[in-house]
Coordinates of all heavy atoms in Angstrom, one line a residue:
M1 N -176.1 106.2 102.5 CA -176.9 105.8 101.4 C -176.8 104.3 101.2 O -177.8 103.7 100.8 CB -176.4 106.6 100.2 CG -177.1 106.2 98.9 SD -178.3 107.4 98.6 CE -178.9 106.9 97.0
R2 N -175.6 103.7 101.4 CA -175.5 102.2 101.2 C -176.4 101.4 102.2 O -176.9 100.4 101.8 CB -174.0 101.8 101.4 CG -173.2 102.2 100.2 CD -172.3 101.1 99.8 NE -171.4 101.4 98.8 CZ -171.6 101.0 97.5 NH1 -172.6 100.3 97.2 NH2 -170.7 101.3 96.6
K3 N -176.4 101.9 103.4 CA -177.3 101.2 104.4 C -178.7 101.2 104.0 O -179.4 100.2 104.1 CB -177.1 101.7 105.8 CG -175.8 101.4 106.4 CD -175.8 101.8 107.9 CE -174.5 101.4 108.5 NZ -174.5 101.7 110.0
R4 N -179.2 102.3 103.4 CA -180.5 102.4 103.0 C -180.8 101.5 101.8 O -181.8 100.8 101.7 CB -180.8 103.9 102.6 CG -182.3 104.1 102.2 CD -182.6 105.5 102.0 NE -183.9 105.7 101.7 CZ -184.4 106.6 100.9 NH1 -183.6 107.5 100.4 NH2 -185.7 106.7 100.7
N5 N -179.8 101.4 100.9 CA -179.9 100.5 99.7 C -180.0 99.1 100.2 O -180.8 98.3 99.7 CB -178.8 100.7 98.8 CG -179.1 101.5 97.5 OD1 -180.3 101.7 97.3 ND2 -178.1 101.8 96.8
K6 N -179.1 98.7 101.1 CA -179.1 97.3 101.6 C -180.4 97.0 102.4 O -180.9 95.9 102.3 CB -177.9 97.1 102.5 CG -176.6 97.0 101.7 CD -175.5 96.5 102.5 CE -174.2 96.4 101.7 NZ -173.2 95.7 102.3
F7 N -180.9 98.0 103.1 CA -182.2 97.8 103.8 C -183.3 97.6 102.8 O -184.1 96.7 103.0 CB -182.5 99.0 104.7 CG -183.8 98.9 105.4 CD1 -184.0 98.0 106.5 CD2 -184.9 99.6 104.9 CE1 -185.2 97.9 107.1 CE2 -186.2 99.5 105.6 CZ -186.3 98.6 106.7
K8 N -183.3 98.4 101.7 CA -184.4 98.2 100.7 C -184.3 96.9 100.0 O -185.3 96.2 99.9 CB -184.2 99.3 99.7 CG -185.2 99.3 98.5 CD -185.0 100.4 97.5 CE -183.7 100.2 96.7 NZ -183.6 101.1 95.6
H9 N -183.1 96.4 99.7 CA -182.9 95.1 99.1 C -183.3 94.0 100.0 O -183.8 93.0 99.6 CB -181.5 95.0 98.5 CG -181.2 95.7 97.3 ND1 -181.6 95.3 96.1 CD2 -180.6 96.9 97.1 CE1 -181.3 96.2 95.1 NE2 -180.7 97.2 95.7
G10 N -182.9 94.2 101.3 CA -183.3 93.2 102.3 C -184.8 93.1 102.4 O -185.4 91.9 102.5
M11 N -185.5 94.2 102.4 CA -187.0 94.1 102.5 C -187.6 93.4 101.2 O -188.5 92.6 101.3 CB -187.6 95.6 102.6 CG -187.3 96.2 103.9 SD -188.0 95.3 105.3 CE -189.8 95.3 104.9
Y12 N -187.1 93.8 100.0 CA -187.6 93.1 98.8 C -187.3 91.6 98.9 O -188.1 90.8 98.4 CB -186.9 93.8 97.6 CG -187.4 95.2 97.3 CD1 -186.5 96.0 96.6 CD2 -188.6 95.7 97.7 CE1 -186.9 97.3 96.3 CE2 -189.0 96.9 97.5 CZ -188.2 97.8 96.7 OH -188.6 99.1 96.5
M13 N -186.1 91.3 99.4 CA -185.8 89.8 99.5 C -186.8 89.1 100.4 O -187.2 88.0 100.1 CB -184.4 89.6 99.9 CG -183.9 88.2 99.9 SD -182.3 87.9 100.6 CE -182.6 88.3 102.3
L14 N -187.0 89.7 101.6 CA -188.0 89.1 102.5 C -189.4 89.0 101.9 O -190.1 88.0 102.2 CB -188.0 89.9 103.8 CG -186.7 89.8 104.7 CD1 -186.8 90.7 105.9 CD2 -186.5 88.4 105.1
I15 N -189.8 90.0 101.2 CA -191.1 90.0 100.5 C -191.2 88.8 99.5 O -192.1 88.0 99.5 CB -191.5 91.3 99.9 CG1 -191.7 92.4 101.0 CG2 -192.7 91.2 99.0 CD1 -191.8 93.8 100.4
A16 N -190.1 88.7 98.7 CA -190.1 87.6 97.7 C -190.0 86.2 98.4 O -190.7 85.3 98.0 CB -188.9 87.8 96.8
L17 N -189.3 86.2 99.5 CA -189.3 84.9 100.3 C -190.6 84.6 100.9 O -191.0 83.4 100.9 CB -188.2 85.0 101.4 CG -187.9 83.8 102.2 CD1 -187.4 82.7 101.3 CD2 -186.9 84.1 103.3
A18 N -191.3 85.6 101.4 CA -192.6 85.3 102.0 C -193.6 84.9 100.9 O -194.4 84.0 101.1 CB -193.1 86.6 102.6
M19 N -193.5 85.5 99.7 CA -194.4 85.1 98.6 C -194.1 83.6 98.2 O -195.0 82.8 97.9 CB -194.2 86.0 97.4 CG -194.8 87.4 97.6 SD -194.3 88.6 96.3 CE -194.8 87.8 94.8
L20 N -192.8 83.3 98.2 CA -192.4 81.9 97.8 C -192.9 80.9 98.9 O -193.5 79.9 98.5 CB -190.9 81.8 97.7 CG -190.3 80.5 97.2 CD1 -190.8 80.2 95.8 CD2 -188.8 80.6 97.3
L21 N -192.7 81.2 100.1 CA -193.2 80.3 101.2 C -194.7 80.2 101.2 O -195.3 79.1 101.6 CB -192.7 80.8 102.6 CG -191.2 80.7 102.8 CD1 -190.8 81.4 104.1 CD2 -190.8 79.3 102.7
Y22 N -195.4 81.2 100.8 CA -196.9 81.2 100.7 C -197.3 80.3 99.5 O -198.3 79.5 99.6 CB -197.5 82.6 100.5 CG -199.0 82.6 100.3 CD1 -199.8 82.4 101.4 CD2 -199.5 82.8 99.1 CE1 -201.2 82.4 101.3 CE2 -200.9 82.8 98.9 CZ -201.7 82.6 100.0 OH -203.1 82.6 99.9
A23 N -196.5 80.3 98.4 CA -196.9 79.6 97.2 C -196.5 78.2 97.1 O -197.2 77.3 96.6 CB -196.3 80.3 95.9
L24 N -195.4 77.8 97.8 CA -194.9 76.4 97.7 C -195.9 75.4 98.2 O -196.1 74.4 97.5 CB -193.6 76.3 98.4 CG -192.4 76.8 97.7 CD1 -191.1 76.7 98.5 CD2 -192.2 76.0 96.4
P25 N -196.6 75.6 99.3 CA -197.5 74.6 99.8 C -198.8 74.5 98.9 O -199.4 73.4 98.8 CB -198.0 75.1 101.1 CG -197.0 76.1 101.6 CD -196.4 76.6 100.4
K26 N -199.0 75.5 98.1 CA -200.2 75.4 97.2 C -199.9 74.6 95.9 O -200.9 74.3 95.2 CB -200.6 76.9 96.8 CG -200.8 77.7 98.0 CD -202.2 78.2 98.1 CE -202.4 79.1 99.3 NZ -203.5 78.8 100.1
L27 N -198.7 74.3 95.6 CA -198.4 73.5 94.4 C -198.8 72.1 94.6 O -198.4 71.5 95.7 CB -196.9 73.6 94.1 CG -196.4 74.9 93.5 CD1 -194.9 74.8 93.3 CD2 -197.0 75.2 92.2
S28 N -199.5 71.5 93.7 CA -200.0 70.2 93.8 C -199.3 69.3 92.8 O -199.5 69.5 91.6 CB -201.5 70.1 93.7 OG -201.9 68.8 93.7
F29 N -198.5 68.3 93.2 CA -197.9 67.4 92.3 C -198.7 66.1 92.1 O -198.3 65.3 91.3 CB -196.5 67.0 92.8 CG -195.5 68.2 92.8 CD1 -195.3 68.9 94.0 CD2 -194.9 68.6 91.7 CE1 -194.4 70.0 94.0 CE2 -194.0 69.7 91.7 CZ -193.8 70.4 92.9
Q30 N -199.8 66.0 92.8 CA -200.6 64.8 92.8 C -201.4 64.6 91.5 O -201.7 63.5 91.1 CB -201.5 64.7 94.0 CG -200.7 64.6 95.3 CD -201.6 64.8 96.5 OE1 -202.7 65.2 96.4 NE2 -201.0 64.5 97.7
E31 N -201.7 65.7 90.9 CA -202.6 65.7 89.7 C -201.8 65.4 88.5 O -202.4 65.2 87.4 CB -203.3 67.0 89.5 CG -204.2 67.4 90.7 CD -204.8 68.8 90.5 OE1 -204.7 69.4 89.4 OE2 -205.4 69.2 91.5
G32 N -200.5 65.3 88.6 CA -199.7 65.0 87.4 C -199.3 66.3 86.7 O -199.6 67.4 87.2
P33 N -198.5 66.2 85.7 CA -198.1 67.4 85.0 C -199.2 68.1 84.3 O -200.1 67.5 83.7 CB -197.1 66.9 83.9 CG -197.1 65.4 83.9 CD -198.0 65.0 85.1
S34 N -199.2 69.4 84.5 CA -200.3 70.3 83.9 C -199.7 71.7 83.7 O -198.6 72.0 84.2 CB -201.5 70.3 84.8 OG -201.2 71.0 86.0
W35 N -200.5 72.5 83.0 CA -200.0 73.9 82.8 C -199.9 74.7 84.1 O -199.1 75.5 84.3 CB -201.0 74.6 81.8 CG -200.8 74.1 80.4 CD1 -201.7 73.3 79.8 CD2 -199.8 74.3 79.5 NE1 -201.3 73.0 78.5 CE2 -200.1 73.6 78.3 CE3 -198.6 75.1 79.6 CZ2 -199.2 73.7 77.2 CZ3 -197.8 75.1 78.5 CH2 -198.1 74.4 77.3
V36 N -200.8 74.4 85.0 CA -200.8 75.1 86.3 C -199.6 74.7 87.1 O -198.9 75.6 87.7 CB -202.1 74.7 87.1 CG1 -202.1 75.3 88.5 CG2 -203.4 75.2 86.3
L37 N -199.2 73.5 87.1 CA -198.0 73.0 87.8 C -196.8 73.6 87.2 O -195.9 74.1 87.8 CB -197.9 71.5 87.8 CG -196.7 70.9 88.5 CD1 -196.6 71.3 90.0 CD2 -196.6 69.4 88.3
G38 N -196.7 73.6 85.8 CA -195.6 74.2 85.1 C -195.5 75.7 85.4 O -194.3 76.2 85.6
F39 N -196.6 76.4 85.4 CA -196.5 77.8 85.8 C -196.0 78.0 87.2 O -195.2 78.9 87.4 CB -197.9 78.5 85.6 CG -197.9 79.9 86.1 CD1 -197.5 80.9 85.3 CD2 -198.4 80.2 87.3 CE1 -197.5 82.2 85.7 CE2 -198.4 81.5 87.8 CZ -198.0 82.5 86.9
G40 N -196.5 77.2 88.1 CA -196.0 77.3 89.5 C -194.6 77.1 89.7 O -193.9 77.8 90.4
V41 N -194.1 76.1 88.9 CA -192.6 75.8 89.0 C -191.8 76.9 88.4 O -190.8 77.3 89.0 CB -192.3 74.4 88.3 CG1 -190.8 74.2 88.2 CG2 -192.9 73.3 89.1
V42 N -192.2 77.4 87.3 CA -191.5 78.5 86.7 C -191.5 79.8 87.6 O -190.5 80.5 87.7 CB -192.0 78.8 85.2 CG1 -191.5 80.1 84.7 CG2 -191.7 77.7 84.3
W43 N -192.7 80.0 88.1 CA -192.8 81.2 89.1 C -191.9 81.0 90.3 O -191.3 82.0 90.7 CB -194.3 81.3 89.5 CG -194.6 82.5 90.3 CD1 -195.0 83.7 89.8 CD2 -194.5 82.7 91.7 NE1 -195.1 84.6 90.8 CE2 -194.8 84.0 92.0 CE3 -194.1 81.8 92.8 CZ2 -194.9 84.5 93.3 CZ3 -194.1 82.3 94.0 CH2 -194.5 83.6 94.3
C44 N -191.8 79.8 90.8 CA -190.9 79.6 91.9 C -189.4 79.8 91.5 O -188.6 80.3 92.3 CB -191.1 78.2 92.5 SG -192.7 78.0 93.4
I45 N -189.1 79.4 90.3 CA -187.7 79.6 89.8 C -187.4 81.1 89.8 O -186.3 81.5 90.2 CB -187.5 78.9 88.5 CG1 -187.5 77.3 88.7 CG2 -186.2 79.3 87.8 CD1 -187.5 76.5 87.4
F46 N -188.3 81.8 89.2 CA -188.1 83.3 89.1 C -188.0 83.9 90.5 O -187.2 84.8 90.8 CB -189.2 84.0 88.3 CG -189.0 83.8 86.8 CD1 -190.0 83.3 86.1 CD2 -187.8 84.3 86.2 CE1 -189.8 83.1 84.7 CE2 -187.6 84.1 84.9 CZ -188.7 83.6 84.1
A47 N -188.8 83.4 91.5 CA -188.8 83.9 92.8 C -187.4 83.6 93.4 O -186.8 84.5 94.1 CB -189.9 83.3 93.7
F48 N -186.9 82.4 93.2 CA -185.5 82.1 93.7 C -184.5 83.0 93.1 O -183.5 83.4 93.8 CB -185.2 80.6 93.4 CG -185.8 79.7 94.4 CD1 -186.6 78.6 94.0 CD2 -185.5 79.8 95.8 CE1 -187.1 77.7 94.9 CE2 -186.0 78.9 96.7 CZ -186.9 77.9 96.2
L49 N -184.6 83.3 91.8 CA -183.7 84.2 91.2 C -183.7 85.6 91.8 O -182.7 86.3 92.0 CB -184.0 84.3 89.7 CG -183.6 83.1 88.8 CD1 -184.0 83.2 87.4 CD2 -182.1 82.9 88.9
V50 N -184.9 86.1 92.1 CA -185.1 87.4 92.7 C -184.4 87.4 94.1 O -183.7 88.3 94.4 CB -186.6 87.8 92.8 CG1 -186.8 89.0 93.7 CG2 -187.1 88.1 91.4
I51 N -184.7 86.4 94.8 CA -184.1 86.3 96.2 C -182.5 86.2 96.1 O -181.8 86.9 96.8 CB -184.6 85.0 96.9 CG1 -186.1 85.3 97.2 CG2 -183.8 84.7 98.2 CD1 -186.8 84.0 97.7
A52 N -182.0 85.4 95.1 CA -180.6 85.3 94.9 C -180.0 86.6 94.5 O -178.9 87.0 95.0 CB -180.3 84.2 93.9
A53 N -180.6 87.4 93.7 CA -180.1 88.7 93.2 C -180.0 89.7 94.4 O -179.0 90.4 94.5 CB -181.0 89.2 92.1
H54 N -181.1 89.7 95.2 CA -181.0 90.6 96.3 C -180.0 90.2 97.4 O -179.3 91.0 97.9 CB -182.4 90.8 97.0 CG -183.4 91.5 96.1 ND1 -183.2 92.9 95.9 CD2 -184.5 91.2 95.5 CE1 -184.2 93.3 95.1 NE2 -185.0 92.3 94.9
L55 N -179.9 88.9 97.6 CA -178.9 88.4 98.5 C -177.5 88.7 98.0 O -176.6 89.1 98.8 CB -179.1 86.9 98.7 CG -178.3 86.3 99.8 CD1 -178.6 86.9 101.2 CD2 -178.5 84.8 99.9
H56 N -177.3 88.6 96.7 CA -176.0 88.9 96.1 C -175.6 90.4 96.3 O -174.5 90.7 96.7 CB -176.1 88.6 94.6 CG -174.8 89.0 93.8 ND1 -173.8 88.1 93.8 CD2 -174.5 90.0 93.1 CE1 -172.8 88.6 93.0 NE2 -173.2 89.8 92.6
F57 N -176.6 91.3 96.2 CA -176.3 92.7 96.5 C -176.1 93.0 98.0 O -175.2 93.7 98.3 CB -177.5 93.5 96.0 CG -177.3 95.0 96.2 CD1 -176.6 95.7 95.2 CD2 -177.8 95.7 97.3 CE1 -176.4 97.1 95.4 CE2 -177.5 97.0 97.5 CZ -176.8 97.7 96.5
I58 N -176.8 92.3 98.8 CA -176.7 92.5 100.3 C -175.3 92.1 100.8 O -174.7 92.8 101.5 CB -177.8 91.8 101.1 CG1 -179.2 92.5 100.8 CG2 -177.5 91.8 102.5 CD1 -180.3 91.8 101.3
I59 N -174.9 90.9 100.3 CA -173.6 90.4 100.7 C -172.5 91.3 100.2 O -171.4 91.4 100.9 CB -173.4 88.9 100.2 CG1 -174.4 88.0 100.9 CG2 -172.0 88.5 100.4 CD1 -174.4 86.6 100.4
G60 N -172.7 91.9 99.1 CA -171.7 92.9 98.6 C -170.6 92.2 97.7 O -169.5 92.7 97.7
V61 N -171.0 91.2 97.0 CA -170.0 90.5 96.1 C -169.6 91.5 95.1 O -168.4 91.5 94.7 CB -170.7 89.2 95.5 CG1 -169.7 88.6 94.5 CG2 -171.0 88.3 96.6
D62 N -170.4 92.4 94.6 CA -170.1 93.3 93.6 C -169.0 94.3 94.1 O -168.1 94.6 93.3 CB -171.3 94.1 93.1 CG -172.2 93.3 92.3 OD1 -171.8 92.3 91.7 OD2 -173.4 93.7 92.3
E63 N -169.0 94.7 95.3 CA -168.0 95.5 95.9 C -166.6 94.9 95.9 O -165.6 95.5 95.5 CB -168.3 96.0 97.3 CG -169.6 96.9 97.4 CD -170.0 97.1 98.8 OE1 -169.2 96.9 99.7 OE2 -171.1 97.6 99.0
E64 N -166.6 93.6 96.2 CA -165.3 92.9 96.2 C -164.8 92.7 94.8 O -163.6 92.9 94.5 CB -165.5 91.5 96.8 CG -165.8 91.5 98.3 CD -166.2 90.1 98.8 OE1 -165.9 89.1 98.1 OE2 -166.8 90.1 99.9
K65 N -165.7 92.4 93.9 CA -165.3 92.3 92.5 C -164.8 93.6 91.9 O -163.8 93.7 91.2 CB -166.5 91.8 91.6 CG -166.1 91.3 90.2 CD -167.3 90.8 89.5 CE -167.6 89.4 89.9 NZ -168.6 88.8 89.1
Q66 N -165.5 94.7 92.3 CA -165.1 96.0 91.9 C -163.7 96.4 92.4 O -162.8 96.9 91.6 CB -166.1 97.1 92.4 CG -165.8 98.4 91.8 CD -166.1 98.5 90.3 OE1 -166.9 97.7 89.8 NE2 -165.5 99.4 89.6
K67 N -163.4 96.0 93.6 CA -162.0 96.3 94.2 C -161.0 95.5 93.4 O -159.9 96.0 93.1 CB -162.0 95.9 95.6 CG -162.7 96.9 96.5 CD -162.7 96.5 98.0 CE -163.6 97.4 98.8 NZ -163.6 97.0 100.2
Q68 N -161.3 94.2 93.1 CA -160.3 93.4 92.3 C -160.1 94.0 90.9 O -158.9 94.0 90.5 CB -160.8 92.0 92.2 CG -160.8 91.2 93.5 CD -161.5 89.8 93.4 OE1 -162.1 89.5 92.4 NE2 -161.3 89.0 94.4
L69 N -161.1 94.4 90.3 CA -161.0 95.0 89.0 C -160.2 96.3 89.0 O -159.3 96.5 88.1 CB -162.4 95.3 88.3 CG -163.1 94.1 87.9 CD1 -164.5 94.5 87.4 CD2 -162.4 93.3 86.7
E70 N -160.4 97.1 90.0 CA -159.6 98.3 90.2 C -158.1 98.0 90.4 O -157.3 98.7 89.9 CB -160.2 99.1 91.3 CG -159.6 100.5 91.4 CD -159.9 101.4 90.2 OE1 -161.0 101.2 89.6 OE2 -159.0 102.1 89.8
A71 N -157.8 97.0 91.2 CA -156.4 96.6 91.4 C -155.8 96.1 90.1 O -154.6 96.4 89.8 CB -156.4 95.5 92.4
V72 N -156.5 95.4 89.3 CA -156.0 94.9 88.0 C -155.8 96.1 87.1 O -154.7 96.2 86.4 CB -157.0 93.9 87.3 CG1 -156.6 93.7 85.9 CG2 -157.0 92.6 88.1
R73 N -156.7 97.1 87.0 CA -156.5 98.3 86.2 C -155.3 99.0 86.6 O -154.5 99.5 85.8 CB -157.8 99.2 86.3 CG -158.9 98.7 85.5 CD -160.1 99.7 85.6 NE -161.3 99.1 85.1 CZ -162.4 98.9 85.9 NH1 -162.4 99.3 87.1 NH2 -163.4 98.3 85.4
K74 N -155.1 99.2 87.9 CA -154.0 99.9 88.5 C -152.7 99.2 88.1 O -151.7 99.9 87.6 CB -154.1 100.0 90.0 CG -153.0 100.9 90.6 CD -153.2 101.0 92.1 CE -152.1 101.8 92.7 NZ -152.2 101.9 94.2
H75 N -152.6 97.9 88.2 CA -151.4 97.1 87.8 C -151.1 97.3 86.3 O -150.0 97.5 85.9 CB -151.6 95.7 88.2 CG -150.4 94.8 87.9 ND1 -149.3 94.9 88.5 CD2 -150.3 93.9 86.9 CE1 -148.4 94.1 88.1 NE2 -149.0 93.4 87.1
K76 N -152.2 97.2 85.5 CA -152.0 97.4 84.0 C -151.4 98.8 83.7 O -150.6 99.0 82.8 CB -153.3 97.1 83.3 CG -153.6 95.6 83.2 CD -154.8 95.4 82.3 CE -155.1 94.0 82.2 NZ -156.3 93.7 81.3
L77 N -152.0 99.8 84.4 CA -151.5 101.2 84.2 C -150.1 101.3 84.5 O -149.3 101.9 83.8 CB -152.4 102.1 84.9 CG -152.1 103.6 84.8 CD1 -152.2 104.1 83.4 CD2 -152.9 104.4 85.8
E78 N -149.7 100.7 85.7 CA -148.3 100.8 86.1 C -147.4 100.1 85.1 O -146.3 100.6 84.8 CB -148.1 100.2 87.5 CG -148.7 101.0 88.6 CD -148.7 100.2 89.9 OE1 -148.4 99.0 90.0 OE2 -149.1 100.8 90.9
Q79 N -147.8 99.0 84.5 CA -147.0 98.3 83.5 C -146.9 99.1 82.3 O -145.8 99.2 81.7 CB -147.7 96.9 83.2 CG -147.5 95.8 84.2 CD -148.1 94.5 83.7 OE1 -149.1 94.5 82.9 NE2 -147.7 93.4 84.2
W80 N -148.0 99.7 81.8 CA -148.0 100.5 80.7 C -147.0 101.8 80.8 O -146.3 102.1 80.0 CB -149.4 101.0 80.3 CG -149.5 101.9 79.1 CD1 -149.4 101.5 77.8 CD2 -149.6 103.3 79.1 NE1 -149.5 102.6 77.0 CE2 -149.6 103.7 77.8 CE3 -149.6 104.3 80.1 CZ2 -149.7 105.1 77.4 CZ3 -149.7 105.6 79.8 CH2 -149.8 106.0 78.4
Q81 N -147.1 102.4 82.0 CA -146.3 103.5 82.3 C -144.8 103.1 82.3 O -143.9 103.8 81.9 CB -146.7 104.2 83.6 CG -147.9 105.0 83.5 CD -148.4 105.5 84.9 OE1 -147.9 105.1 85.9 NE2 -149.3 106.5 84.8
G82 N -144.5 101.9 82.9 CA -143.1 101.4 82.9 C -142.6 101.2 81.5 O -141.5 101.6 81.2
K83 N -143.4 100.6 80.7 CA -143.0 100.4 79.3 C -142.8 101.7 78.6 O -141.8 101.9 77.8 CB -144.0 99.5 78.5 CG -144.0 98.1 78.9 CD -145.0 97.3 78.2 CE -145.1 95.8 78.6 NZ -146.1 95.1 77.9
W84 N -143.7 102.6 78.8 CA -143.6 103.9 78.1 C -142.3 104.7 78.6 O -141.6 105.3 77.8 CB -144.8 104.7 78.4 CG -144.9 106.0 77.6 CD1 -145.2 106.1 76.3 CD2 -144.6 107.3 78.1 NE1 -145.1 107.5 76.0 CE2 -144.8 108.2 77.1 CE3 -144.3 107.8 79.4 CZ2 -144.6 109.6 77.2 CZ3 -144.2 109.2 79.5 CH2 -144.3 110.1 78.4
N85 N -142.0 104.6 79.9 CA -140.8 105.2 80.4 C -139.5 104.6 79.8 O -138.6 105.3 79.5 CB -140.7 105.1 81.9 CG -141.7 106.1 82.6 OD1 -142.2 107.1 81.9 ND2 -142.1 105.8 83.8
E86 N -139.5 103.3 79.7 CA -138.4 102.6 79.1 C -138.2 103.0 77.6 O -137.1 103.2 77.2 CB -138.6 101.1 79.1 CG -138.3 100.5 80.5 CD -138.5 99.0 80.5 OE1 -138.3 98.3 79.5 OE2 -138.9 98.4 81.6
E87 N -139.3 103.1 76.9 CA -139.2 103.4 75.5 C -138.7 104.9 75.3 O -137.9 105.2 74.4 CB -140.6 103.3 74.8 CG -141.0 101.9 74.6 CD -142.4 101.7 74.0 OE1 -143.0 102.8 73.7 OE2 -142.8 100.6 73.9
S88 N -139.1 105.8 76.2 CA -138.7 107.2 76.1 C -137.2 107.3 76.5 O -136.5 108.1 75.9 CB -139.5 108.1 77.0 OG -139.3 107.7 78.4
R89 N -136.7 106.4 77.4 CA -135.3 106.4 77.8 C -134.5 106.0 76.6 O -133.4 106.5 76.3 CB -135.0 105.6 79.0 CG -135.4 106.2 80.3 CD -135.1 105.3 81.4 NE -136.0 105.5 82.5 CZ -136.4 104.6 83.4 NH1 -136.0 103.4 83.3 NH2 -137.3 104.9 84.4
V90 N -134.9 104.9 75.9 CA -134.2 104.3 74.8 C -134.1 105.4 73.7 O -133.1 105.6 73.0 CB -134.8 103.0 74.3 CG1 -134.3 102.6 73.0 CG2 -134.6 101.9 75.4
S91 N -135.2 106.0 73.4 CA -135.3 107.0 72.3 C -134.4 108.2 72.6 O -133.8 108.8 71.7 CB -136.7 107.4 72.0 OG -137.3 108.1 73.1
Q92 N -134.3 108.6 73.9 CA -133.4 109.7 74.3 C -131.9 109.3 74.1 O -131.1 110.2 73.8 CB -133.7 110.1 75.7 CG -135.0 110.8 76.0 CD -135.2 111.1 77.4 OE1 -134.5 110.7 78.3 NE2 -136.3 111.8 77.7
R93 N -131.6 108.1 74.3 CA -130.2 107.7 74.2 C -129.8 107.7 72.7 O -128.6 107.9 72.4 CB -130.0 106.3 74.7 CG -130.1 106.2 76.2 CD -129.9 104.8 76.7 NE -130.1 104.7 78.1 CZ -130.3 103.6 78.8 NH1 -130.2 102.5 78.2 NH2 -130.5 103.7 80.1
L94 N -130.7 107.5 71.8 CA -130.4 107.4 70.4 C -130.3 108.8 69.9 O -129.6 109.5 69.4 CB -131.4 106.7 69.6 CG -131.6 105.2 69.9 CD1 -132.8 104.6 69.2 CD2 -130.3 104.4 69.6

């Protein structure tokens, strides 16, 4: 299932990149600032964000972050269990 997801995100990224490469040469900076140029620049920024989001998923940065968070949770649970065991030992002695 993961390979299919990565393939899907790869295709979407390539489509967004193709759209961006098609649109960039059409932007004209010679006429000066205008609404059309502003729209084109904003559209290109959104296209870059879409490409970056799909690339982020393909690289798997989320998986690495998820593993790190799981390790932190496990460590905190071990600390909590250790403290709880110590408190139960102390209360048993009294």
Side-chain angles (χ1 to χ4, degrees):
M1 179 98 172
R2 285 227 185 253
K3 284 187 177 185
R4 184 173 181 211
N5 254 352
K6 286 191 178 192
F7 177 75
K8 179 178 75 169
H9 285 281
M11 288 301 299
Y12 291 155
M13 184 186 68
L14 288 176
I15 290 169
L17 186 61
M19 290 170 52
L20 184 65
L21 290 175
Y22 177 78
L24 279 177
K26 306 246 184 226
L27 288 177
S28 175
F29 294 98
Q30 296 170 350
E31 298 174 12
S34 67
W35 289 105
V36 175
L37 178 63
F39 174 80
V41 169
V42 170
W43 188 89
C44 289
I45 290 170
F46 281 124
F48 279 122
L49 286 174
V50 168
I51 292 167
H54 287 294
L55 190 60
H56 179 80
F57 182 83
I58 291 169
I59 292 173
V61 176
D62 289 336
E63 292 174 13
E64 293 172 15
K65 191 178 281 187
Q66 188 68 25
K67 288 178 184 177
Q68 289 175 347
L69 287 174
E70 190 61 38
V72 168
R73 285 186 195 117
K74 185 177 178 181
H75 181 69
K76 284 185 178 183
L77 180 63
E78 289 171 356
Q79 284 181 337
W80 179 78
Q81 287 175 342
K83 287 180 183 179
W84 188 73
N85 287 338
E86 283 180 31
E87 288 175 4
S88 65
R89 284 184 208 146
V90 169
S91 65
Q92 286 176 357
R93 288 179 188 166
L94 297 175

